Amino acid sequence: MTAHAIEQAALAHFADNGFEGASLAGIAQAVGIKKQSIATYFPKKEDLFMAVFHGMAKHYIGFLEQLYQDLADAPVETRLREIVYKNYQYRAGHPALTAFYKRAVQFPPPFFKEVLLEQIRMMEQRSAVFYRSIFEEGMENGVIRRQQSEGLLSAYYCLLDGIAMQMFFYEEEDFERRLKDIWNIFWAGIKQT
């Protein structure tokens, strides 16, 4: 039995039930071990939750870094649009990670609030460097209207976060149609006319 198998079972339990609702007994049963065996790897439930959160963050950051590399030579509009679409596809393709993150952000356990804010700041700082460079390149090349890059970043993060929430309310086909409309309106609002 490995810590990884425990983390995978815990991910599903935390995603479905939140921190308070997930039980170590249920996680142990899913792995096929006794509850006490979890303590060998994770002395407290909080430690297990933190390990799952850090694993989720590492997975997502790896996805973003690969995406940035893949899009490095694409035109500005394509890069910005593909980041939106690929983020949606990532979330749809990793439902347990997505549900876990959504619960952790919306209903963080008390011990986790400061860590959560720190992690979100760290993830945003990493992505902001990339997004800002795309916006500035677009303004420099006359593709995007001249404006404050911080305002563009704020709007772009709201777009990404809004999509992450909206995708839970619609069937895939309906949402993809909505996503196309959302992107077209966003792009029309920032592009150089």
Side-chain angles (χ1 to χ4, degrees):
M1 181 49 19
T2 66
H4 179 71
I6 295 169
E7 287 180 41
Q8 290 305 301
L11 170 65
H13 281 257
F14 289 137
D16 290 342
N17 307 302
F19 177 78
E20 290 80 10
S23 73
L24 291 178
I27 293 167
Q29 183 179 9
V31 178
I33 60 173
K34 293 182 179 183
K35 176 181 165 183
Q36 298 83 343
S37 300
I38 292 176
T40 302
Y41 301 97
F42 306 99
K44 298 184 300 190
K45 186 176 173 182
E46 290 85 348
D47 298 325
L48 179 54
F49 185 88
M50 292 298 294
V52 172
F53 186 85
H54 287 301
M56 178 275 310
K58 182 178 178 182
H59 192 271
Y60 183 66
I61 288 169
F63 154 76
L64 287 180
E65 289 175 350
Q66 185 61 54
L67 178 60
Y68 301 161
Q69 289 176 15
D70 294 346
L71 296 172
D73 298 325
V76 167
E77 180 186 3
T78 301
R79 274 183 275 168
L80 292 171
R81 184 186 64 241
E82 285 302 300
I83 290 167
V84 168
Y85 277 75
K86 297 293 184 190
N87 264 279
Y88 160 67
Q89 291 165 0
Y90 174 87
R91 289 181 175 107
H94 298 88
L97 287 174
T98 301
F100 172 76
Y101 180 74
K102 182 180 173 189
R103 274 192 186 268
V105 169
Q106 291 183 324
F107 309 106
F111 73 89
F112 186 61
K113 287 182 181 179
E114 286 302 315
V115 174
L116 173 64
L117 293 174
E118 180 183 317
Q119 280 290 314
I120 289 174
R121 277 192 294 270
M122 186 269 300
M123 290 168 71
E124 193 169 290
Q125 285 172 353
R126 291 178 87 166
S127 60
V129 170
F130 182 68
Y131 300 157
R132 189 179 292 110
S133 71
I134 298 171
F135 288 130
E136 289 173 359
E137 178 186 332
M139 288 185 285
E140 187 68 30
N141 295 340
V143 176
I144 295 175
R145 260 186 307 109
R146 279 255 174 236
Q147 54 201 291
Q148 292 293 321
S149 60
E150 292 308 308
L152 287 167
L153 275 172
S154 296
Y156 198 61
Y157 281 121
C158 283
L159 175 70
L160 291 169
D161 292 343
I163 288 167
M165 288 301 294
Q166 288 284 305
M167 67 181 278
F168 288 100
F169 306 133
Y170 300 95
E171 296 295 324
E172 185 176 345
E173 187 177 314
D174 289 338
F175 185 75
E176 288 180 4
R177 188 171 44 254
R178 291 173 66 90
L179 183 58
K180 184 178 178 183
D181 292 339
I182 291 165
W183 171 255
N184 288 336
I185 290 169
F186 178 82
W187 181 249
I190 69 167
K191 73 177 181 177
Q192 183 72 23
T193 54

PDB file of all heavy atoms in Angstrom, residues 67-94:
ATOM      1  N   LEU A  67       0.850  23.564 -21.523  1.00  0.00           N
ATOM      2  CA  LEU A  67      -0.009  24.353 -22.416  1.00  0.00           C
ATOM      3  C   LEU A  67       0.725  25.591 -22.895  1.00  0.00           C
ATOM      4  O   LEU A  67       0.701  25.919 -24.087  1.00  0.00           O
ATOM      5  CB  LEU A  67      -1.302  24.735 -21.685  1.00  0.00           C
ATOM      6  CG  LEU A  67      -2.308  25.600 -22.447  1.00  0.00           C
ATOM      7  CD1 LEU A  67      -2.773  24.899 -23.718  1.00  0.00           C
ATOM      8  CD2 LEU A  67      -3.489  25.941 -21.554  1.00  0.00           C
ATOM      9  N   TYR A  68       1.400  26.290 -21.990  1.00  0.00           N
ATOM     10  CA  TYR A  68       2.139  27.499 -22.370  1.00  0.00           C
ATOM     11  C   TYR A  68       3.216  27.167 -23.400  1.00  0.00           C
ATOM     12  O   TYR A  68       3.405  27.907 -24.365  1.00  0.00           O
ATOM     13  CB  TYR A  68       2.777  28.150 -21.148  1.00  0.00           C
ATOM     14  CG  TYR A  68       1.811  28.561 -20.075  1.00  0.00           C
ATOM     15  CD1 TYR A  68       2.245  28.805 -18.779  1.00  0.00           C
ATOM     16  CD2 TYR A  68       0.440  28.712 -20.322  1.00  0.00           C
ATOM     17  CE1 TYR A  68       1.367  29.181 -17.772  1.00  0.00           C
ATOM     18  CE2 TYR A  68      -0.442  29.083 -19.318  1.00  0.00           C
ATOM     19  CZ  TYR A  68       0.034  29.313 -18.052  1.00  0.00           C
ATOM     20  OH  TYR A  68      -0.832  29.683 -17.055  1.00  0.00           O
ATOM     21  N   GLN A  69       3.916  26.059 -23.212  1.00  0.00           N
ATOM     22  CA  GLN A  69       4.944  25.643 -24.175  1.00  0.00           C
ATOM     23  C   GLN A  69       4.328  25.327 -25.527  1.00  0.00           C
ATOM     24  O   GLN A  69       4.846  25.731 -26.571  1.00  0.00           O
ATOM     25  CB  GLN A  69       5.706  24.420 -23.654  1.00  0.00           C
ATOM     26  CG  GLN A  69       6.620  24.712 -22.496  1.00  0.00           C
ATOM     27  CD  GLN A  69       7.272  23.440 -21.962  1.00  0.00           C
ATOM     28  OE1 GLN A  69       7.262  22.394 -22.602  1.00  0.00           O
ATOM     29  NE2 GLN A  69       7.837  23.543 -20.773  1.00  0.00           N
ATOM     30  N   ASP A  70       3.215  24.608 -25.506  1.00  0.00           N
ATOM     31  CA  ASP A  70       2.561  24.217 -26.757  1.00  0.00           C
ATOM     32  C   ASP A  70       2.064  25.412 -27.555  1.00  0.00           C
ATOM     33  O   ASP A  70       1.992  25.363 -28.783  1.00  0.00           O
ATOM     34  CB  ASP A  70       1.378  23.276 -26.478  1.00  0.00           C
ATOM     35  CG  ASP A  70       1.806  21.928 -25.908  1.00  0.00           C
ATOM     36  OD1 ASP A  70       3.013  21.604 -25.959  1.00  0.00           O
ATOM     37  OD2 ASP A  70       0.923  21.212 -25.390  1.00  0.00           O
ATOM     38  N   LEU A  71       1.703  26.494 -26.859  1.00  0.00           N
ATOM     39  CA  LEU A  71       1.125  27.657 -27.528  1.00  0.00           C
ATOM     40  C   LEU A  71       2.127  28.785 -27.778  1.00  0.00           C
ATOM     41  O   LEU A  71       1.753  29.836 -28.293  1.00  0.00           O
ATOM     42  CB  LEU A  71      -0.033  28.219 -26.682  1.00  0.00           C
ATOM     43  CG  LEU A  71      -1.243  27.319 -26.486  1.00  0.00           C
ATOM     44  CD1 LEU A  71      -2.212  27.936 -25.480  1.00  0.00           C
ATOM     45  CD2 LEU A  71      -1.939  27.075 -27.817  1.00  0.00           C
ATOM     46  N   ALA A  72       3.371  28.572 -27.439  1.00  0.00           N
ATOM     47  CA  ALA A  72       4.370  29.646 -27.462  1.00  0.00           C
ATOM     48  C   ALA A  72       4.435  30.400 -28.789  1.00  0.00           C
ATOM     49  O   ALA A  72       4.620  31.618 -28.804  1.00  0.00           O
ATOM     50  CB  ALA A  72       5.746  29.090 -27.108  1.00  0.00           C
ATOM     51  N   ASP A  73       4.271  29.725 -29.903  1.00  0.00           N
ATOM     52  CA  ASP A  73       4.431  30.373 -31.213  1.00  0.00           C
ATOM     53  C   ASP A  73       3.108  30.731 -31.877  1.00  0.00           C
ATOM     54  O   ASP A  73       3.100  31.217 -33.008  1.00  0.00           O
ATOM     55  CB  ASP A  73       5.242  29.462 -32.147  1.00  0.00           C
ATOM     56  CG  ASP A  73       6.643  29.207 -31.605  1.00  0.00           C
ATOM     57  OD1 ASP A  73       7.212  30.131 -30.989  1.00  0.00           O
ATOM     58  OD2 ASP A  73       7.159  28.086 -31.781  1.00  0.00           O
ATOM     59  N   ALA A  74       2.002  30.521 -31.201  1.00  0.00           N
ATOM     60  CA  ALA A  74       0.685  30.795 -31.785  1.00  0.00           C
ATOM     61  C   ALA A  74       0.386  32.296 -31.736  1.00  0.00           C
ATOM     62  O   ALA A  74       0.924  33.014 -30.897  1.00  0.00           O
ATOM     63  CB  ALA A  74      -0.395  30.017 -31.027  1.00  0.00           C
ATOM     64  N   PRO A  75      -0.484  32.772 -32.624  1.00  0.00           N
ATOM     65  CA  PRO A  75      -0.899  34.179 -32.562  1.00  0.00           C
ATOM     66  C   PRO A  75      -1.586  34.500 -31.234  1.00  0.00           C
ATOM     67  O   PRO A  75      -2.105  33.608 -30.555  1.00  0.00           O
ATOM     68  CB  PRO A  75      -1.900  34.303 -33.727  1.00  0.00           C
ATOM     69  CG  PRO A  75      -1.614  33.147 -34.627  1.00  0.00           C
ATOM     70  CD  PRO A  75      -1.080  32.045 -33.746  1.00  0.00           C
ATOM     71  N   VAL A  76      -1.616  35.775 -30.881  1.00  0.00           N
ATOM     72  CA  VAL A  76      -2.154  36.235 -29.597  1.00  0.00           C
ATOM     73  C   VAL A  76      -3.573  35.732 -29.365  1.00  0.00           C
ATOM     74  O   VAL A  76      -3.867  35.149 -28.314  1.00  0.00           O
ATOM     75  CB  VAL A  76      -2.088  37.781 -29.522  1.00  0.00           C
ATOM     76  CG1 VAL A  76      -2.915  38.309 -28.356  1.00  0.00           C
ATOM     77  CG2 VAL A  76      -0.645  38.240 -29.401  1.00  0.00           C
ATOM     78  N   GLU A  77      -4.473  35.968 -30.315  1.00  0.00           N
ATOM     79  CA  GLU A  77      -5.864  35.540 -30.113  1.00  0.00           C
ATOM     80  C   GLU A  77      -5.947  34.032 -29.902  1.00  0.00           C
ATOM     81  O   GLU A  77      -6.666  33.558 -29.024  1.00  0.00           O
ATOM     82  CB  GLU A  77      -6.755  35.940 -31.288  1.00  0.00           C
ATOM     83  CG  GLU A  77      -8.191  35.494 -31.084  1.00  0.00           C
ATOM     84  CD  GLU A  77      -9.111  35.740 -32.277  1.00  0.00           C
ATOM     85  OE1 GLU A  77      -8.650  36.206 -33.328  1.00  0.00           O
ATOM     86  OE2 GLU A  77     -10.313  35.436 -32.141  1.00  0.00           O
ATOM     87  N   THR A  78      -5.201  33.280 -30.680  1.00  0.00           N
ATOM     88  CA  THR A  78      -5.222  31.822 -30.557  1.00  0.00           C
ATOM     89  C   THR A  78      -4.749  31.392 -29.177  1.00  0.00           C
ATOM     90  O   THR A  78      -5.356  30.524 -28.541  1.00  0.00           O
ATOM     91  CB  THR A  78      -4.344  31.170 -31.645  1.00  0.00           C
ATOM     92  OG1 THR A  78      -4.830  31.565 -32.924  1.00  0.00           O
ATOM     93  CG2 THR A  78      -4.333  29.658 -31.533  1.00  0.00           C
ATOM     94  N   ARG A  79      -3.678  31.995 -28.696  1.00  0.00           N
ATOM     95  CA  ARG A  79      -3.170  31.630 -27.364  1.00  0.00           C
ATOM     96  C   ARG A  79      -4.219  31.890 -26.290  1.00  0.00           C
ATOM     97  O   ARG A  79      -4.490  31.021 -25.458  1.00  0.00           O
ATOM     98  CB  ARG A  79      -1.892  32.406 -27.045  1.00  0.00           C
ATOM     99  CG  ARG A  79      -0.657  31.733 -27.585  1.00  0.00           C
ATOM    100  CD  ARG A  79       0.582  32.481 -27.192  1.00  0.00           C
ATOM    101  NE  ARG A  79       0.782  33.548 -28.170  1.00  0.00           N
ATOM    102  CZ  ARG A  79       1.634  34.544 -28.029  1.00  0.00           C
ATOM    103  NH1 ARG A  79       2.364  34.662 -26.948  1.00  0.00           N
ATOM    104  NH2 ARG A  79       1.771  35.452 -28.965  1.00  0.00           N
ATOM    105  N   LEU A  80      -4.785  33.090 -26.300  1.00  0.00           N
ATOM    106  CA  LEU A  80      -5.773  33.429 -25.279  1.00  0.00           C
ATOM    107  C   LEU A  80      -7.006  32.538 -25.366  1.00  0.00           C
ATOM    108  O   LEU A  80      -7.516  32.065 -24.345  1.00  0.00           O
ATOM    109  CB  LEU A  80      -6.166  34.901 -25.387  1.00  0.00           C
ATOM    110  CG  LEU A  80      -5.075  35.904 -25.021  1.00  0.00           C
ATOM    111  CD1 LEU A  80      -5.514  37.315 -25.371  1.00  0.00           C
ATOM    112  CD2 LEU A  80      -4.696  35.797 -23.560  1.00  0.00           C
ATOM    113  N   ARG A  81      -7.492  32.292 -26.572  1.00  0.00           N
ATOM    114  CA  ARG A  81      -8.678  31.438 -26.747  1.00  0.00           C
ATOM    115  C   ARG A  81      -8.380  30.001 -26.332  1.00  0.00           C
ATOM    116  O   ARG A  81      -9.169  29.366 -25.629  1.00  0.00           O
ATOM    117  CB  ARG A  81      -9.154  31.474 -28.206  1.00  0.00           C
ATOM    118  CG  ARG A  81     -10.444  30.674 -28.428  1.00  0.00           C
ATOM    119  CD  ARG A  81     -10.834  30.590 -29.897  1.00  0.00           C
ATOM    120  NE  ARG A  81      -9.828  29.864 -30.645  1.00  0.00           N
ATOM    121  CZ  ARG A  81      -9.116  30.386 -31.664  1.00  0.00           C
ATOM    122  NH1 ARG A  81      -9.313  31.622 -32.066  1.00  0.00           N
ATOM    123  NH2 ARG A  81      -8.212  29.657 -32.280  1.00  0.00           N
ATOM    124  N   GLU A  82      -7.234  29.484 -26.748  1.00  0.00           N
ATOM    125  CA  GLU A  82      -6.896  28.095 -26.419  1.00  0.00           C
ATOM    126  C   GLU A  82      -6.701  27.885 -24.925  1.00  0.00           C
ATOM    127  O   GLU A  82      -7.028  26.824 -24.404  1.00  0.00           O
ATOM    128  CB  GLU A  82      -5.658  27.645 -27.198  1.00  0.00           C
ATOM    129  CG  GLU A  82      -5.941  27.364 -28.655  1.00  0.00           C
ATOM    130  CD  GLU A  82      -7.012  26.297 -28.848  1.00  0.00           C
ATOM    131  OE1 GLU A  82      -6.830  25.162 -28.383  1.00  0.00           O
ATOM    132  OE2 GLU A  82      -8.047  26.618 -29.467  1.00  0.00           O
ATOM    133  N   ILE A  83      -6.197  28.888 -24.230  1.00  0.00           N
ATOM    134  CA  ILE A  83      -6.072  28.765 -22.778  1.00  0.00           C
ATOM    135  C   ILE A  83      -7.456  28.602 -22.164  1.00  0.00           C
ATOM    136  O   ILE A  83      -7.665  27.760 -21.285  1.00  0.00           O
ATOM    137  CB  ILE A  83      -5.331  29.986 -22.184  1.00  0.00           C
ATOM    138  CG1 ILE A  83      -3.866  29.941 -22.600  1.00  0.00           C
ATOM    139  CG2 ILE A  83      -5.464  30.012 -20.663  1.00  0.00           C
ATOM    140  CD1 ILE A  83      -3.114  31.235 -22.351  1.00  0.00           C
ATOM    141  N   VAL A  84      -8.421  29.377 -22.644  1.00  0.00           N
ATOM    142  CA  VAL A  84      -9.793  29.274 -22.151  1.00  0.00           C
ATOM    143  C   VAL A  84     -10.360  27.889 -22.450  1.00  0.00           C
ATOM    144  O   VAL A  84     -10.867  27.200 -21.562  1.00  0.00           O
ATOM    145  CB  VAL A  84     -10.686  30.380 -22.766  1.00  0.00           C
ATOM    146  CG1 VAL A  84     -12.154  30.119 -22.491  1.00  0.00           C
ATOM    147  CG2 VAL A  84     -10.271  31.745 -22.240  1.00  0.00           C
ATOM    148  N   TYR A  85     -10.258  27.463 -23.694  1.00  0.00           N
ATOM    149  CA  TYR A  85     -10.833  26.174 -24.101  1.00  0.00           C
ATOM    150  C   TYR A  85     -10.121  25.005 -23.428  1.00  0.00           C
ATOM    151  O   TYR A  85     -10.767  24.054 -22.976  1.00  0.00           O
ATOM    152  CB  TYR A  85     -10.778  26.016 -25.625  1.00  0.00           C
ATOM    153  CG  TYR A  85     -11.905  26.696 -26.347  1.00  0.00           C
ATOM    154  CD1 TYR A  85     -11.943  28.078 -26.495  1.00  0.00           C
ATOM    155  CD2 TYR A  85     -12.957  25.970 -26.882  1.00  0.00           C
ATOM    156  CE1 TYR A  85     -12.982  28.712 -27.149  1.00  0.00           C
ATOM    157  CE2 TYR A  85     -14.006  26.585 -27.552  1.00  0.00           C
ATOM    158  CZ  TYR A  85     -14.016  27.958 -27.675  1.00  0.00           C
ATOM    159  OH  TYR A  85     -15.055  28.589 -28.320  1.00  0.00           O
ATOM    160  N   LYS A  86      -8.802  25.050 -23.386  1.00  0.00           N
ATOM    161  CA  LYS A  86      -8.047  23.931 -22.784  1.00  0.00           C
ATOM    162  C   LYS A  86      -8.280  23.854 -21.281  1.00  0.00           C
ATOM    163  O   LYS A  86      -8.281  22.766 -20.713  1.00  0.00           O
ATOM    164  CB  LYS A  86      -6.553  24.056 -23.080  1.00  0.00           C
ATOM    165  CG  LYS A  86      -6.191  23.977 -24.543  1.00  0.00           C
ATOM    166  CD  LYS A  86      -6.451  22.627 -25.128  1.00  0.00           C
ATOM    167  CE  LYS A  86      -5.963  22.578 -26.574  1.00  0.00           C
ATOM    168  NZ  LYS A  86      -6.379  21.381 -27.267  1.00  0.00           N
ATOM    169  N   ASN A  87      -8.475  25.004 -20.620  1.00  0.00           N
ATOM    170  CA  ASN A  87      -8.814  24.971 -19.203  1.00  0.00           C
ATOM    171  C   ASN A  87     -10.146  24.269 -18.996  1.00  0.00           C
ATOM    172  O   ASN A  87     -10.296  23.458 -18.083  1.00  0.00           O
ATOM    173  CB  ASN A  87      -8.859  26.389 -18.618  1.00  0.00           C
ATOM    174  CG  ASN A  87      -7.577  26.773 -17.953  1.00  0.00           C
ATOM    175  OD1 ASN A  87      -7.332  26.397 -16.815  1.00  0.00           O
ATOM    176  ND2 ASN A  87      -6.743  27.510 -18.668  1.00  0.00           N
ATOM    177  N   TYR A  88     -11.118  24.599 -19.827  1.00  0.00           N
ATOM    178  CA  TYR A  88     -12.420  23.925 -19.749  1.00  0.00           C
ATOM    179  C   TYR A  88     -12.245  22.418 -19.979  1.00  0.00           C
ATOM    180  O   TYR A  88     -12.762  21.594 -19.219  1.00  0.00           O
ATOM    181  CB  TYR A  88     -13.401  24.517 -20.760  1.00  0.00           C
ATOM    182  CG  TYR A  88     -14.547  23.596 -21.074  1.00  0.00           C
ATOM    183  CD1 TYR A  88     -15.492  23.278 -20.100  1.00  0.00           C
ATOM    184  CD2 TYR A  88     -14.676  23.005 -22.331  1.00  0.00           C
ATOM    185  CE1 TYR A  88     -16.533  22.401 -20.372  1.00  0.00           C
ATOM    186  CE2 TYR A  88     -15.711  22.139 -22.610  1.00  0.00           C
ATOM    187  CZ  TYR A  88     -16.637  21.837 -21.630  1.00  0.00           C
ATOM    188  OH  TYR A  88     -17.651  20.962 -21.900  1.00  0.00           O
ATOM    189  N   GLN A  89     -11.507  22.045 -21.014  1.00  0.00           N
ATOM    190  CA  GLN A  89     -11.311  20.627 -21.328  1.00  0.00           C
ATOM    191  C   GLN A  89     -10.564  19.906 -20.207  1.00  0.00           C
ATOM    192  O   GLN A  89     -10.868  18.745 -19.890  1.00  0.00           O
ATOM    193  CB  GLN A  89     -10.577  20.480 -22.666  1.00  0.00           C
ATOM    194  CG  GLN A  89     -11.420  20.906 -23.843  1.00  0.00           C
ATOM    195  CD  GLN A  89     -10.626  21.107 -25.122  1.00  0.00           C
ATOM    196  OE1 GLN A  89      -9.402  20.938 -25.164  1.00  0.00           O
ATOM    197  NE2 GLN A  89     -11.312  21.494 -26.186  1.00  0.00           N
ATOM    198  N   TYR A  90      -9.608  20.591 -19.601  1.00  0.00           N
ATOM    199  CA  TYR A  90      -8.890  19.996 -18.473  1.00  0.00           C
ATOM    200  C   TYR A  90      -9.862  19.706 -17.325  1.00  0.00           C
ATOM    201  O   TYR A  90      -9.871  18.609 -16.766  1.00  0.00           O
ATOM    202  CB  TYR A  90      -7.782  20.941 -17.996  1.00  0.00           C
ATOM    203  CG  TYR A  90      -7.091  20.476 -16.739  1.00  0.00           C
ATOM    204  CD1 TYR A  90      -6.010  19.603 -16.807  1.00  0.00           C
ATOM    205  CD2 TYR A  90      -7.514  20.888 -15.474  1.00  0.00           C
ATOM    206  CE1 TYR A  90      -5.370  19.160 -15.658  1.00  0.00           C
ATOM    207  CE2 TYR A  90      -6.887  20.459 -14.324  1.00  0.00           C
ATOM    208  CZ  TYR A  90      -5.820  19.589 -14.426  1.00  0.00           C
ATOM    209  OH  TYR A  90      -5.190  19.149 -13.275  1.00  0.00           O
ATOM    210  N   ARG A  91     -10.684  20.684 -16.996  1.00  0.00           N
ATOM    211  CA  ARG A  91     -11.633  20.510 -15.892  1.00  0.00           C
ATOM    212  C   ARG A  91     -12.644  19.408 -16.201  1.00  0.00           C
ATOM    213  O   ARG A  91     -12.978  18.603 -15.339  1.00  0.00           O
ATOM    214  CB  ARG A  91     -12.324  21.830 -15.593  1.00  0.00           C
ATOM    215  CG  ARG A  91     -11.402  22.836 -14.941  1.00  0.00           C
ATOM    216  CD  ARG A  91     -12.116  24.143 -14.633  1.00  0.00           C
ATOM    217  NE  ARG A  91     -11.252  25.046 -13.910  1.00  0.00           N
ATOM    218  CZ  ARG A  91     -10.699  26.129 -14.443  1.00  0.00           C
ATOM    219  NH1 ARG A  91     -10.924  26.447 -15.704  1.00  0.00           N
ATOM    220  NH2 ARG A  91      -9.927  26.893 -13.713  1.00  0.00           N
ATOM    221  N   ALA A  92     -13.129  19.394 -17.440  1.00  0.00           N
ATOM    222  CA  ALA A  92     -14.093  18.358 -17.826  1.00  0.00           C
ATOM    223  C   ALA A  92     -13.445  16.979 -17.826  1.00  0.00           C
ATOM    224  O   ALA A  92     -14.089  15.983 -17.496  1.00  0.00           O
ATOM    225  CB  ALA A  92     -14.673  18.675 -19.209  1.00  0.00           C
ATOM    226  N   GLY A  93     -12.167  16.913 -18.163  1.00  0.00           N
ATOM    227  CA  GLY A  93     -11.453  15.642 -18.229  1.00  0.00           C
ATOM    228  C   GLY A  93     -10.951  15.136 -16.886  1.00  0.00           C
ATOM    229  O   GLY A  93     -10.518  13.987 -16.770  1.00  0.00           O
ATOM    230  N   HIS A  94     -10.981  15.982 -15.876  1.00  0.00           N
ATOM    231  CA  HIS A  94     -10.520  15.621 -14.533  1.00  0.00           C
ATOM    232  C   HIS A  94     -11.600  16.001 -13.510  1.00  0.00           C
ATOM    233  O   HIS A  94     -11.403  16.913 -12.693  1.00  0.00           O
ATOM    234  CB  HIS A  94      -9.199  16.318 -14.204  1.00  0.00           C
ATOM    235  CG  HIS A  94      -8.083  15.929 -15.117  1.00  0.00           C
ATOM    236  ND1 HIS A  94      -7.827  16.585 -16.306  1.00  0.00           N
ATOM    237  CD2 HIS A  94      -7.172  14.931 -15.035  1.00  0.00           C
ATOM    238  CE1 HIS A  94      -6.800  16.024 -16.903  1.00  0.00           C
ATOM    239  NE2 HIS A  94      -6.386  15.009 -16.162  1.00  0.00           N
TER     240      HIS A  94
END
